[in-house]
Amino acid sequence: MPFMKQKDPTLPPGQVLTQKFPVLHVGSVPEIDPQTYRLGFVGLIENPFELSYDELRALPSTEFRGDIHCVTRWSKKATYWRGTLFRTLVERAKPYDSVTHVIQVADNDYTTNLPLAAMLDDDVLVAWEYDGRPIEPIHGGPVRMFVPKRYFWKSAKWLKRIVFTDHDEPGFWETRGYHNDADPWKQERYASLPLWMDRTTGTAKPRKS
């Protein structure tokens, strides 16, 4: 059995410990060649730029050793990740004072959103290594976002673009009834008022019953 039944007081409420690394994602696993990979930084910033996979790995790196939590109620302890501190990339991008949110754009038309303030934590990485090896495609390689304080859907696999905005833009799961903040310790799994995205205006509104 992949899940351990005993409760662990160090886990967020409602979570169950797993020794494996369950695979959950939207769509099929894309084929991304690290040699042609590009990660773009766009939106309300002074310095839009792109990084290749090699350029990203050449930047100063930071490691994270700790737990991850999925909204489907599994948690995995003592994981090991390495990547570029997202805050370092923000400093290069130089967001305008009006920026409030960061939108992660990934393959398979996947997006997810978080406040810029949350993304500036010292454990948020643009990750390219897991457990001492390049991240496997099944787990989001070659490059994924890593935001360990939030449920794992807020850490987009197959990351391809970072958009800085002056407003919130709920993403794939957020517009389907999942909580906009996704704090595991508060059990922020689902929104009390599910949102839908107005594709004309780009804003989120309460879903009509």
Side-chain angles (χ1 to χ4, degrees), residues 64-68 76-81 146 148:
F64 172 89
R65 295 179 184 268
D67 308 344
I68 55 176
K76 184 173 177 61
K77 297 182 72 66
T79 63
Y80 170 43
W81 302 81
F146 182 73

Side-chain angles (χ1 to χ4, degrees), residues 165-181:
T165 75
D166 59 3
H167 59 280
D168 198 6
E169 293 184 13
F172 183 90
W173 288 117
E174 293 82 9
T175 58
R176 288 163 171 80
Y178 283 73
H179 201 285
N180 206 42
D181 296 327

Side-chain angles (χ1 to χ4, degrees), residues 120-204:
L120 294 177
D121 283 352
D122 59 7
D123 56 4
V124 177
L125 306 178
V126 175
W128 33 261
E129 189 175 283
Y130 170 71
D131 203 20
R133 298 180 180 180
I135 299 174
E136 296 179 49
I138 197 73
H139 291 304
V143 175
R144 70 173 297 159
M145 187 61 76
F146 182 73
V147 190
K149 288 188 178 72
R150 308 295 173 122
Y151 285 124
F152 221 38
W153 92 77
K154 292 287 190 178
S155 299
K157 295 181 177 181
W158 315 303
L159 189 67
K160 63 181 182 182
R161 191 161 63 255
I162 299 294
V163 183
F164 295 83
T165 75
D166 59 3
H167 59 280
D168 198 6
E169 293 184 13
F172 183 90
W173 288 117
E174 293 82 9
T175 58
R176 288 163 171 80
Y178 283 73
H179 201 285
N180 206 42
D181 296 327
D183 185 334
W185 293 97
K186 297 179 181 178
Q187 292 203 75
E188 292 176 337
R189 303 179 192 276
Y190 307 109
S192 56
L193 288 175
L195 302 177
W196 65 279
M197 178 65 71
D198 186 328
R199 297 299 179 184
T200 302
T201 64
T203 58

Side-chain angles (χ1 to χ4, degrees), residues 3 36 47 51 59 69-70 88 90 98 114 121 126 148 163 177 183:
F3 292 99
T36 58
N47 183 34
L51 290 172
L59 294 173
H69 313 288
C70 181
T88 300
V90 172
S98 60
L114 278 171
D121 283 352
V126 175
V163 183
D183 185 334

Side-chain angles (χ1 to χ4, degrees), residues 42-54:
V42 300
L44 300 177
I45 54 178
E46 295 182 21
N47 183 34
F49 65 98
E50 282 190 345
L51 290 172
S52 69
Y53 181 69
D54 288 340

Side-chain angles (χ1 to χ4, degrees), residues 6 8 11 16 18 33 85 96 101 106 132 139 142 147 153 172 177:
Q6 65 266 32
D8 186 332
L11 295 180
V16 179
T18 179
D33 184 352
L85 188 65
Y96 296 132
H101 286 78
H139 291 304
V147 190
W153 92 77
F172 183 90

